[in-house]
Amino acid sequence: MQFDLGILGGGQLARMTIMAAQEMGLRCLSLDPGEVTPASQVAPAAQGPLNDPQAVAGILSNCARVTLENEFIPAGVIAEALQLSGRDPGTVVPGFETLGIIQDKLWQRKALLAKGVPSPKAEEITEDGTVAIARIGVPVVLKARFGGYDGKGTKFARSPEEFDDLRPVWENGGWMAEEFVEFKRELAVMVYRNGNVTGWFPTMETVQTNFVCDLVFPADVDASEVAVAAVEAVDGQGLFGVELFETHDGKILVNEIAPRPHNSGHYTMDWGGLSQFECITRLTLGLPVPAPAGEPVCMANLLGQSDQDDFRRGIKNALESDPDVHVHWYAKQESRKGRKMGHINVRGGDIVGRARAAREAFYKGMTTVAKAPPPSEFPS
């Protein structure tokens, strides 16, 4: 094989996985429809649609093992690509059968409930929707069964009338009704499985703003038991980000499973132990994985503020405000308001307060109106 590790997708998760693999001397190849991607700037890349079996088969034919950076590549496409390339299904981590369950949020929910994993009830919305509403009740969360993320593909109805007002959204199918959960806070756990070995990273509290992850920091509860049960319920092999709800009476419920590195695991890049990106590299290649351990870290997402953002000024401002913070920039070609562009990690004392302050300093510097420096220079 020409490459050790192939990654389906070329965004920031692929980029950071490749960088972790390269520290081990591994050769990596990514596939993405874009010509210049975060991943293509650090390693060779193939350009092609992620829903094209021939394009995916090309990666399978040239890489010893393959993983993915998002869960939206149709499982059927991967199955067909495996046949076209003549590769064993174990070449791809996670397996396409697990991926197929996770991709359909209704199947995912049913799989969790069938195994007794604490999870909100869910029903497919069919015909006029009365059966789903009768079984779930109101208020109710409406979710697109496929493709939703960061609040996209999610609607709320507080009454039968509001549910009916949303009829143009769900009447053509592909939506489900899910039990509304009054939660105290959101949590996340990174879980890994490799053969008979199962492990997990610490439970983190996640703060969402406008449905986008804003802050991640250590929680004072352990939700690993439920998170591991969720991954086992879908027979997951690989690395999974398990998003959870903690209710006001202390119950832990599964929100969703992501079969890949996850925003809530970015803190591991600077905690002094195994990172989630080295973890997925080891898992995909069938290498041993040590028990994760490290220091407390707070991660703050960096979002685009405009199409005139100057990240170099942002870095300069953030590090001048606190030299001990770590800035990770994804090198996306286009910055636009609300888009995930990077993140900041802070460890030591007052990690949440310092992460917030460093991010504000970054934004202040990034949006300062000034002539941008040449690409190879930082502003003086």
Coordinates of all heavy atoms in Angstrom, one line a residue, residues 4-35:
D4 N -0.4 4.5 4.7 CA -0.8 3.8 5.9 C -2.2 4.0 6.3 O -2.9 3.1 6.7 CB 0.2 4.1 7.1 CG 1.6 3.9 6.7 OD1 2.0 2.7 6.5 OD2 2.4 4.8 6.7
L5 N -2.6 5.3 6.3 CA -3.9 5.7 6.8 C -4.6 6.6 5.8 O -4.1 7.6 5.4 CB -3.7 6.5 8.1 CG -5.0 7.0 8.8 CD1 -5.8 5.8 9.3 CD2 -4.6 7.9 10.0
G6 N -5.9 6.2 5.5 CA -6.7 7.0 4.7 C -7.8 7.6 5.5 O -8.3 6.9 6.4
I7 N -8.3 8.8 5.2 CA -9.4 9.4 5.9 C -10.4 10.0 4.9 O -10.0 10.7 4.0 CB -8.8 10.6 6.8 CG1 -7.8 10.1 7.7 CG2 -10.0 11.3 7.5 CD1 -7.2 11.2 8.6
L8 N -11.6 9.6 5.1 CA -12.7 10.0 4.3 C -13.2 11.4 4.8 O -13.8 11.4 5.9 CB -13.8 9.0 4.2 CG -13.4 7.6 3.8 CD1 -14.6 6.6 3.8 CD2 -12.8 7.6 2.4
G9 N -12.9 12.4 4.1 CA -13.2 13.8 4.6 C -11.9 14.5 4.7 O -10.8 13.9 5.0
G10 N -11.9 15.8 4.5 CA -10.7 16.6 4.5 C -10.8 17.9 5.4 O -10.0 18.8 5.2
G11 N -11.7 17.9 6.4 CA -11.8 19.0 7.3 C -10.8 19.0 8.4 O -9.8 18.3 8.4
Q12 N -11.2 19.7 9.5 CA -10.2 19.9 10.6 C -10.0 18.6 11.3 O -8.9 18.4 11.8 CB -10.7 21.0 11.6 CG -12.0 20.7 12.3 CD -13.2 21.3 11.7 OE1 -13.2 21.5 10.5 NE2 -14.2 21.6 12.5
L13 N -11.0 17.7 11.4 CA -10.8 16.5 12.2 C -9.8 15.6 11.4 O -8.9 14.9 12.0 CB -12.1 15.8 12.4 CG -13.1 16.5 13.2 CD1 -14.4 15.7 13.4 CD2 -12.5 16.8 14.6
A14 N -9.9 15.6 10.1 CA -8.9 14.9 9.3 C -7.6 15.5 9.4 O -6.5 14.8 9.5 CB -9.4 14.9 7.8
R15 N -7.5 16.8 9.4 CA -6.2 17.5 9.5 C -5.5 17.1 10.8 O -4.3 16.7 10.8 CB -6.4 19.0 9.5 CG -5.2 19.9 9.7 CD -5.6 21.3 9.8 NE -4.5 22.2 10.1 CZ -3.8 22.9 9.2 NH1 -4.1 22.7 7.9 NH2 -2.8 23.7 9.5
M16 N -6.2 17.2 11.9 CA -5.6 16.9 13.2 C -5.3 15.4 13.4 O -4.3 15.1 14.1 CB -6.5 17.4 14.3 CG -6.5 19.0 14.3 SD -7.5 19.7 15.7 CE -9.1 19.6 15.0
T17 N -6.1 14.5 12.8 CA -5.7 13.1 12.8 C -4.5 12.8 12.0 O -3.6 12.1 12.5 CB -6.9 12.3 12.3 OG1 -8.1 12.5 13.1 CG2 -6.6 10.8 12.3
I18 N -4.4 13.4 10.9 CA -3.2 13.3 10.0 C -1.9 13.8 10.8 O -0.9 13.1 10.8 CB -3.3 14.0 8.7 CG1 -4.3 13.3 7.8 CG2 -2.0 14.2 8.0 CD1 -4.8 14.0 6.6
M19 N -2.0 14.9 11.4 CA -0.9 15.5 12.1 C -0.4 14.6 13.3 O 0.8 14.4 13.5 CB -1.2 16.9 12.6 CG -1.4 17.9 11.5 SD -2.1 19.5 12.0 CE -0.7 20.2 12.9
A20 N -1.4 13.9 13.9 CA -1.0 13.0 15.0 C -0.4 11.7 14.4 O 0.6 11.2 14.9 CB -2.3 12.6 15.8
A21 N -0.9 11.3 13.3 CA -0.3 10.1 12.6 C 1.1 10.4 12.1 O 2.0 9.5 12.1 CB -1.2 9.6 11.5
Q22 N 1.3 11.6 11.6 CA 2.6 11.9 11.1 C 3.7 11.9 12.1 O 4.9 11.7 11.8 CB 2.5 13.3 10.4 CG 1.8 13.2 9.0 CD 1.6 14.6 8.4 OE1 1.5 15.6 9.2 NE2 1.4 14.7 7.1
E23 N 3.3 12.2 13.4 CA 4.3 12.2 14.5 C 4.8 10.7 14.6 O 5.9 10.5 15.2 CB 3.6 12.6 15.8 CG 3.4 14.1 15.8 CD 2.8 14.6 17.1 OE1 2.5 13.8 18.0 OE2 2.7 15.8 17.3
M24 N 4.0 9.8 14.2 CA 4.5 8.4 14.2 C 5.1 7.9 12.9 O 5.5 6.8 12.7 CB 3.3 7.5 14.5 CG 2.6 7.8 15.8 SD 1.0 6.9 16.0 CE 1.5 5.2 16.2
G25 N 5.3 8.9 12.0 CA 6.0 8.6 10.7 C 5.1 8.0 9.7 O 5.5 7.5 8.7
L26 N 3.7 8.0 9.9 CA 2.8 7.4 9.0 C 2.5 8.2 7.8 O 2.4 9.5 7.9 CB 1.5 7.0 9.8 CG 1.8 6.1 11.0 CD1 0.5 5.9 11.8 CD2 2.3 4.7 10.6
R27 N 2.2 7.6 6.7 CA 1.8 8.3 5.5 C 0.3 8.3 5.4 O -0.3 7.2 5.5 CB 2.4 7.6 4.3 CG 4.0 7.5 4.3 CD 4.5 6.5 3.4 NE 4.0 5.1 3.8 CZ 4.1 4.0 3.0 NH1 4.7 4.1 1.8 NH2 3.7 2.9 3.5
C28 N -0.3 9.5 5.1 CA -1.7 9.6 5.1 C -2.2 10.2 3.8 O -1.5 11.0 3.1 CB -2.1 10.5 6.3 SG -1.5 10.0 7.9
L29 N -3.5 9.8 3.5 CA -4.2 10.3 2.3 C -5.6 10.6 2.7 O -6.3 9.8 3.3 CB -4.1 9.3 1.2 CG -4.9 9.6 -0.1 CD1 -4.2 10.7 -0.8 CD2 -5.0 8.3 -0.9
S30 N -6.1 11.8 2.3 CA -7.5 12.1 2.6 C -8.3 12.3 1.3 O -7.7 12.5 0.2 CB -7.6 13.5 3.3 OG -7.1 14.5 2.6
L31 N -9.6 12.1 1.4 CA -10.5 12.3 0.2 C -11.5 13.4 0.6 O -12.1 13.3 1.7 CB -11.2 11.0 -0.1 CG -12.4 11.1 -1.1 CD1 -11.8 11.4 -2.5 CD2 -13.2 9.8 -1.1
D32 N -11.7 14.3 -0.3 CA -12.7 15.4 0.0 C -13.1 16.0 -1.4 O -12.2 16.1 -2.3 CB -12.1 16.5 0.9 CG -13.1 17.4 1.4 OD1 -13.4 18.5 0.8 OD2 -13.6 17.1 2.5
P33 N -14.3 16.5 -1.5 CA -14.7 17.2 -2.8 C -14.0 18.5 -3.0 O -13.9 19.0 -4.1 CB -16.2 17.4 -2.6 CG -16.5 17.3 -1.2 CD -15.5 16.3 -0.6
G34 N -13.5 19.1 -1.9 CA -12.8 20.4 -2.1 C -11.3 20.2 -2.6 O -10.7 19.2 -2.3
E35 N -10.9 21.3 -3.3 CA -9.5 21.2 -3.8 C -8.5 21.6 -2.7 O -7.4 20.9 -2.6 CB -9.3 22.1 -5.0 CG -8.0 22.1 -5.6 CD -7.8 23.0 -6.8 OE1 -8.8 23.7 -7.2 OE2 -6.7 23.0 -7.4

